[in-house]
């Protein structure tokens, strides 16, 4: 399988997962709380119509796209069975606040100092819009409104606007977005053409990860070595055969 070309179901993957962010960029994050499961599921149904698919080599609005993300609490509220939730990574199920110490978010950066409602179980769904400029960003936000309007069981609880500085640096002073990896099977070029493509499973559930591929290669090497060794049973004379 090492030489097999991975085929991704691009029409079922959000473009924001695989495509590089535009430079410069503008973005908006909308956080929602689901108070009614039926309305939450309706939000997901509507969102599927506005999310930009990775199958589009060029987004209808150029380098503009909308994506949706869910927290572990959000999946639970939507009715995902616990047996399915348990298959997700432990870090995802814990959440950022529970992992603050492991991530070094202590002191002034500890969860009690985070802006509410971040880090709380109230965060269920995040709609993200990314665009090269504020004008196209506002158009993308307008496209998302039908997904959550008139759903009384879904409440917008937080909004964050993000804009690249004129220096193309982050607010901390460093320049972001200088490189982008290529994901195996995506068909989207990375910033370094000499870089080995990363396994799709590192970004998308249901595909092979790097660690899984390594285990398979190790197993194939072990099987190949074992096949060249004489079997212990084939070279040992049993007491019964010696007696006869």
């Amino acid at each position: 399988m090492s030489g097999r070309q991975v085929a991704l179901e691009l029409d079922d993957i959000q473009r924001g997962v695989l495509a590089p962010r535009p430079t410069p960029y503008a973005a908006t994050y909308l956080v929602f709380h689901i108070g009614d499961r039926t309305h939450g599921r309706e939000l997901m149904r509507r969102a599927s119509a506005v999310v930009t698919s990775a199958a589009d080599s060029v987004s209808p609005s150029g380098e503009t796209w909308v994506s949706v993300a869910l927290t572990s609490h959000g999946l639970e509220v939507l009715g995902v069975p616990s047996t399915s939730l348990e298959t997700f990574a432990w870090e995802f199920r814990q959440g950022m606040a529970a992992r603050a110490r492991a991530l070094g978010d202590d002191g002034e950066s500890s969860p009690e100092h985070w802006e509410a409602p971040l880090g709380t179980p109230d965060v269920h769904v995040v709609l993200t819009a990314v665009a090269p400029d504020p004008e196209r960003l506002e158009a993308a936000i307008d496209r998302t409104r039908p997904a959550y309007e008139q759903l009384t069981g879904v409440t917008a609880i937080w909004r964050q606007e993000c804009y690249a500085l004129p220096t193309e640096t982050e607010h901390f002073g460093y320049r972001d977005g200088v490189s982008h990896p290529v994901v195996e099977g995506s068909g989207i070029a990375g910033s370094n053409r000499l870089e080995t493509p990363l396994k799709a499973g590192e970004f998308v559930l249901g595909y092979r990860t790097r660690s899984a591929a390594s285990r398979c290669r190790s197993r194939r090497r072990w099987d190949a070595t074992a096949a060249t060794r004489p079997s212990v049973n084939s070279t040992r004379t049993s007491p019964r055969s010696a007696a006869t």
Side-chain angles (χ1 to χ4, degrees), residues 14 28-34 43-44 47 51 66-71 74 118 123-129 157-158 160:
Q14 300 182 75
T28 296
Y29 297 88
L30 298 172
V31 174
F32 295 89
H33 173 79
I34 298 173
L43 170 65
M44 293 295 98
V51 165
V66 174
S67 60
V68 61
L70 295 100
T71 65
L118 303 182
V123 176
H124 295 156
V125 181
V126 182
L127 278 174
T128 304
I157 58 176
W158 190 74
Q160 177 68 58

Side-chain angles (χ1 to χ4, degrees), residues 151-175:
L151 291 178
T152 57
V154 176
T155 306
I157 58 176
W158 190 74
R159 177 169 177 156
Q160 177 68 58
E161 308 288 347
C162 302
Y163 298 96
L165 297 174
T167 57
E168 296 188 4
T169 59
E170 294 294 322
H171 298 79
F172 295 106
Y174 62 85
R175 184 170 181 178

Side-chain angles (χ1 to χ4, degrees), residues 37-47 78 147 151 154:
R37 177 173 296 175
T38 300
H39 285 190
R41 291 181 173 181
E42 176 63 16
L43 170 65
M44 293 295 98
R45 187 191 69 80
R46 295 182 185 181
L78 288 172
L151 291 178
V154 176

Side-chain angles (χ1 to χ4, degrees), residues 33-226:
H33 173 79
I34 298 173
D36 180 272
R37 177 173 296 175
T38 300
H39 285 190
R41 291 181 173 181
E42 176 63 16
L43 170 65
M44 293 295 98
R45 187 191 69 80
R46 295 182 185 181
S48 65
V50 299
V51 165
T52 309
S53 166
D56 299 325
S57 58
V58 178
S59 167
S61 301
E63 293 183 293
T64 302
W65 64 78
V66 174
S67 60
V68 61
L70 295 100
T71 65
S72 181
H73 290 293
L75 292 174
E76 185 177 1
V77 169
L78 288 172
V80 176
S82 58
T83 52
S84 296
L85 289 175
E86 290 170 359
T87 64
F88 286 87
W90 171 239
E91 294 83 355
F92 170 72
R93 288 181 284 146
Q94 277 186 303
M96 295 292 287
R99 292 182 50 76
R101 178 171 296 183
L103 297 172
D105 288 333
D106 50 18
E108 294 182 352
S109 298
S110 58
E112 59 263 28
H113 298 299
W114 293 359
E115 183 178 344
L118 303 182
T120 72
D122 291 333
V123 176
H124 295 156
V125 181
V126 182
L127 278 174
T128 304
V130 180
D133 52 61
E135 291 74 22
R136 278 178 281 187
L137 174 64
E138 191 58 38
I141 293 297
D142 287 341
R143 286 207 318 273
T144 69
R145 288 196 175 93
Y148 57 85
E149 283 184 334
Q150 299 180 356
L151 291 178
T152 57
V154 176
T155 306
I157 58 176
W158 190 74
R159 177 169 177 156
Q160 177 68 58
E161 308 288 347
C162 302
Y163 298 96
L165 297 174
T167 57
E168 296 188 4
T169 59
E170 294 294 322
H171 298 79
F172 295 106
Y174 62 85
R175 184 170 181 178
D176 195 12
V178 295
S179 64
H180 183 79
V182 57
V183 180
E184 185 180 51
S186 69
I188 299 175
S191 54
N192 183 355
R193 296 184 180 277
L194 301 179
E195 183 181 39
T196 301
L198 298 180
K199 294 298 179 183
E202 302 293 337
F203 300 89
V204 185
L205 292 175
Y207 294 94
R208 177 165 292 182
T209 62
R210 178 182 178 183
S211 58
S214 297
R215 287 196 299 271
C216 287
R217 285 195 297 270
S218 297
R219 181 56 187 265
R220 285 197 297 271
R221 285 196 295 268
W222 187 90
D223 288 343
T225 303

